[in-house]
Amino acid sequence: MTILVAGFSSFPGAPDNPTEHLVRTLAEATGGGDAALATVVLPVEWERSWPVLEAAIVAAGADTVLLFGLHRRAERLRIELLARNRRELGRIDAAGGFPSGPAVLDGAETLPLALPWPAVARALREARLSFEWSTNAGAYLCNDTLYRLAFHAGRLGVGRFGFFHVPLTDELVTAPAAEAGPEIFCSLAAADLERTARQLIATLSADAAVA
């Protein structure tokens, strides 16, 4: 089995994305030597995010995909359970582009994600990280990419996939923020985020081995 961990690059309102730092840290730590772990940083662009993720899935032969995205108003790690077939019209991406319509694809209103949720909860508690469940991944690029993944997972041979929204990390709270950003927001340590990601990877690897 191969787990692909994906994060996102910067976008309007978030000049530094902690999920990009997470993915690069994981990639540097493995040094390309762990064949069971692949990583990719996705552009926050309506027309490019999914093609980049799809290409990474195919290149790695990944059967498990873990997406991490920034939610600046999150108070703790947020586990998304659903992808919604909707886009926020007029929302600009990192390249200055806009969504072409209100729906992601010609598909169901919602699509469920697929991870062994009790094992995920156990992994997060073992990592000593506060978390919450969510059925609303928003209507921006995180949800757009997630819906496409859920829609195409079967075709790509991806049996397990999930999405985790994270707050800013402590190291990035002083980064310049857009005026539209929240006045009060939470953060977590980058080391805690990395430890949590590694705990999830280890738990899912062990779960797959037992299955």
Side-chain angles (χ1 to χ4, degrees), residues 177-208:
E179 293 183 1
E183 294 182 356
I184 300 175
F185 53 92
C186 296
S187 66
L188 55 79
D192 288 340
L193 178 58
E194 180 187 351
R195 186 183 71 252
T196 299
R198 292 188 182 282
Q199 187 69 44
L200 284 168
I201 292 167
T203 297
L204 291 173
S205 297
D207 183 80

Side-chain angles (χ1 to χ4, degrees), residues 122-140:
R122 183 177 68 251
L124 295 176
R125 292 192 175 99
E126 289 175 354
R128 303 183 305 282
L129 198 75
S130 178
F131 66 92
E132 62 188 9
W133 305 96
S134 168
T135 58
N136 184 359
Y140 193 41

Side-chain angles (χ1 to χ4, degrees), residues 47-71:
E47 300 301 325
R48 291 188 59 228
S49 178
W50 168 246
V52 172
L53 178 58
E54 182 179 24
I57 292 170
V58 173
D63 54 13
T64 301
V65 179
L66 300 180
L67 296 175
F68 289 85
L70 171 64
H71 191 315

Side-chain angles (χ1 to χ4, degrees), residues 2-18:
T2 298
I3 297 176
L4 175 66
V5 179
F8 288 85
S9 59
S10 60
F11 58 91
D16 245 328
N17 194 324

